[in-house]
Amino acid sequence: MQRTFVAIKPDAVQRGLIGEIMQRFEKKGFKIIGLKIIQLDRKTAEKHYEEHIGKPFFEGLVKFITSGPIVAMVLEGINAVEVVRKFMGATNPANADHGTIRADFAHTMERNIVHGSDSYENAEREIAIFFDEKELIPGWTRDLEGRFIQLN
Ligand code: IDP
Ligand code: MG
């Protein structure tokens, strides 16, 4: 079992897509083990996106991600980091696979609906930015796992 950090970005919140996006993750079988709605300040946004500091799109990215509320989530599942990334689709929605969240709801890189950690290390780093460990409920089970998946 692995956990990853997902954020529903301000564009999706503005467009009323919170429920639809959360439902997709739920239906895929992920467990939501942490959840909050939050508006980022600049400092937190810079920390979250620190790997992109200095890139040409960085200022626009920070302005956008701080522009309104986001929904921050920790999802738990088998191989969650990789599966969530595939499920979201490519960074540029124009190249995202059919049926992915970004392909279905976006067409530009600057407004691509959703964030998901790109590695186990970044998932842990990002979770720590947004959540105290005591705010998380790890390890609860969903019926589909208990019945159909052999857990080690
Ligand atoms: P990711 O969100 O798929 O992990 P990253 O490369 O980590 O993609 O970039 C973070 C976010 O910054 C992207 O989701 C996208 O919104 C934005 N971004 C990345 N590259 C560009 C670019 O070349 N132009 C404009 N925005 C970009
Ligand atoms: Mg990234």
Side-chain angles (χ1 to χ4, degrees):
M1 202 60 73
Q2 193 178 60
R3 59 190 197 166
T4 190
F5 176 73
V6 167
I8 300 174
K9 293 183 175 182
D11 52 341
V13 174
Q14 290 300 319
R15 288 170 54 192
L17 294 172
I18 295 173
E20 169 117 28
I21 292 168
M22 287 181 59
Q23 189 176 41
R24 286 193 178 207
F25 285 114
E26 273 195 296
K27 282 182 174 174
K28 181 74 174 167
F30 291 110
K31 283 172 291 176
I32 300 170
I33 66 162
L35 180 64
K36 62 175 70 167
I37 187 158
I38 182 177
Q39 183 159 0
L40 295 187
D41 57 21
R42 186 179 173 96
K43 199 167 150 236
T44 311
E46 286 183 349
K47 205 167 158 195
H48 174 65
Y49 279 128
E50 67 181 12
E51 68 186 292
H52 298 305
I53 291 174
K55 293 183 185 170
F57 61 87
F58 185 71
E59 277 306 314
L61 178 60
V62 169
K63 206 170 166 190
F64 164 61
I65 206 72
T66 59
S67 67
I70 66 167
V71 176
M73 290 186 275
V74 181
L75 300 184
E76 193 178 75
I78 293 167
N79 216 3
V81 171
E82 190 189 337
V83 180
V84 163
R85 291 285 293 187
K86 280 208 180 107
F87 197 60
M88 288 183 346
T91 306
N92 186 346
N95 303 326
D97 289 342
H98 181 75
T100 59
I101 294 170
R102 283 167 167 173
D104 285 355
F105 298 117
H107 67 280
T108 68
M109 198 130 77
E110 290 80 2
R111 300 285 184 272
N112 63 0
I113 299 285
V114 73
H115 166 86
S117 309
D118 65 1
S119 66
Y120 172 81
E121 291 72 24
N122 272 335
E124 291 302 312
R125 189 184 68 81
E126 291 168 2
I127 289 168
I129 293 172
F130 289 85
F131 291 92
D132 281 341
E133 279 301 320
K134 64 178 185 300
E135 294 178 298
L136 305 177
I137 305 173
W140 63 276
T141 53
R142 287 184 63 174
D143 260 357
L144 76 166
E145 288 180 347
R147 287 178 192 163
F148 304 124
I149 299 174
Q150 180 79 41
L151 295 174
N152 297 314

